[in-house]
Amino acid sequence: MRQLPPEPEIEHLVTAGTFELDGGSWEVENNVWIIANEDEAVVIDPAHDPVAIADVLGERQVLAIICTHAHNDHVNAAPELAAITGAPIYLHPDDLPLWKMAHPDDSPDEELTDGQRIVVGGLYLHIRHTPGHTPGGVSVYVPALDAVFTGDTLFQGGPGATGRSFSDFPTIIRSIETRLFDLPAETVVHTGHGPTTTIGEERPHLGEWVARGH
């Protein structure tokens, strides 16, 4: 009997570069997430260093490059990584104006939509539209791994920033409350920057975030 490849696992690397918006520039470190088994992989948020990401991927077939949103620090490596791996780039269409700021001469290959499912190694990745940090922000929920990849929508200690162009605080609170806090408490939240957390750890603090206004 042919032995099936192991189920995908979560791999992680941190890359460094700059985030640029509204005339400002900030040094940042980004989490790049890979869901993969020995044969297939999906990359979430290709930030800053396509060669380093490609080195981690090795010879595995990359089925998709998923951008949780189009701030430059989350998509600046996407076209080059796509050229290296041959994988399509996925982005929610509401973030195209931000994408074009980073890549005026390139376009994503596929649209992300709420409720869409992408399969890697037999696991389903569920796309949830979670706007607020940006209009086209999404989170990627993987029930089989008890994991959700939230980009810059939800962090340990609160929501993503909403003080710059294209963002809205009431919208991100609504996204967190209705599209993330309905997940099981044990779901691990893999963020765009900084440490992981869980839905159960963050859910009790929603009222505090609303009261403080950020």
Side-chain angles (χ1 to χ4, degrees), residues 48-108:
H48 307 303
D49 194 337
V51 174
I53 300 169
D55 285 347
V56 172
L57 291 165
E59 298 301 316
R60 292 175 289 192
Q61 180 186 8
V62 182
L63 304 179
I65 298 168
I66 298 174
C67 302
T68 62
H69 63 291
H71 280 155
N72 75 289
D73 59 320
H74 288 255
V75 302
N76 52 13
E80 190 171 345
L81 185 64
I84 294 170
T85 63
I89 300 167
Y90 285 74
L91 179 74
H92 193 284
D94 288 354
D95 264 17
L96 277 175
L98 281 164
W99 170 276
K100 285 298 183 182
M101 292 180 185
H103 301 298
D105 299 322
D106 287 297
S107 297

Side-chain angles (χ1 to χ4, degrees), residues 13 25 35 71 74-75 90 98 108-110 113 132 144 149 152 154 157 162 173 176 182:
L13 68 154
S25 181
I35 303 173
H71 280 155
H74 288 255
V75 302
Y90 285 74
L98 281 164
D109 302 293
E110 303 287 347
T113 58
F149 301 83
D152 289 1
L154 177 63
T162 53
I173 288 295
I176 291 169
D182 64 329

Side-chain angles (χ1 to χ4, degrees), residues 37-201:
N37 61 17
E38 61 189 24
D39 298 320
E40 298 179 341
V42 165
V43 177
I44 299 174
D45 285 346
H48 307 303
D49 194 337
V51 174
I53 300 169
D55 285 347
V56 172
L57 291 165
E59 298 301 316
R60 292 175 289 192
Q61 180 186 8
V62 182
L63 304 179
I65 298 168
I66 298 174
C67 302
T68 62
H69 63 291
H71 280 155
N72 75 289
D73 59 320
H74 288 255
V75 302
N76 52 13
E80 190 171 345
L81 185 64
I84 294 170
T85 63
I89 300 167
Y90 285 74
L91 179 74
H92 193 284
D94 288 354
D95 264 17
L96 277 175
L98 281 164
W99 170 276
K100 285 298 183 182
M101 292 180 185
H103 301 298
D105 299 322
D106 287 297
S107 297
D109 302 293
E110 303 287 347
E111 292 186 355
L112 290 172
T113 58
D114 188 56
Q116 180 179 1
R117 296 192 300 178
I118 296 170
V119 182
V120 56
L123 296 189
Y124 286 97
L125 283 56
H126 299 253
I127 304 301
R128 292 184 163 210
H129 186 207
T130 50
H133 184 66
T134 68
V138 303
S139 297
V140 183
Y141 176 45
V142 189
L145 297 177
D146 291 324
V148 62
F149 301 83
T150 56
D152 289 1
T153 296
L154 177 63
F155 292 104
Q156 183 185 67
T162 53
R164 303 188 182 100
S165 298
F166 300 94
S167 64
D168 183 73
F169 180 70
T171 300
I172 202 170
I173 288 295
R174 185 165 57 250
S175 291
I176 291 169
E177 183 175 19
T178 65
R179 307 295 288 143
L180 294 175
F181 282 175
D182 64 329
L183 298 176
E186 65 271 16
T187 304
V188 178
V189 178
H190 298 282
T191 62
H193 310 270
T196 61
T197 182
T198 67
I199 293 296
E201 289 173 358

